Amino acid sequence: HWELLQRGRALDNQVFVATASPARNPDSKYQAWGHSSIVSPWGEVLATTDHGPDTVFAEIDLVRADEIRQNIPISKQARLDVYNP
């Protein structure tokens, strides 16, 4: 569910999401999945790691993020006549 949560937050908020996960430690009771990742505002996984120690990086295209926000303008679709945040 780790990747799904990252992709969902990126889509929900139309932002790039970068997440860091601890590397897997075989001696620990809790086994982290690892896979630190960077996700685009469209929910695409741009870069990810494996379950071991690593560094994740990706090119961030701010123009593409603006295009996504223009094509699906969720920030302008608030129904203030129905609720006031």
Side-chain angles (χ1 to χ4, degrees):
H1 77 284
W2 175 246
E3 181 183 305
L4 179 61
L5 291 172
Q6 296 172 58
R7 295 177 69 201
R9 295 308 72 77
L11 283 166
D12 288 346
N13 298 290
Q14 294 184 318
V15 297
F16 288 94
V17 171
T19 56
S21 176
R24 190 172 295 165
N25 178 354
D27 298 326
S28 175
K29 286 184 180 181
Y30 172 75
Q31 293 298 314
W33 189 60
H35 296 269
S36 297
S37 301
I38 300 173
V39 181
S40 79
W42 196 242
E44 302 162 307
V45 177
L46 301 177
T48 192
T49 62
D50 203 351
H51 60 267
D54 207 345
T55 302
V56 63
F57 59 93
E59 293 286 327
I60 303 296
D61 185 351
L62 297 178
V63 172
R64 177 72 180 127
D66 287 339
E67 289 172 357
I68 291 168
R69 291 179 194 122
Q70 288 174 6
N71 289 332
I72 305 174
I74 61 171
S75 65
K76 297 178 182 170
Q77 295 175 340
R79 291 285 313 268
L80 299 179
D81 59 316
V82 177
Y83 70 96
N84 191 359

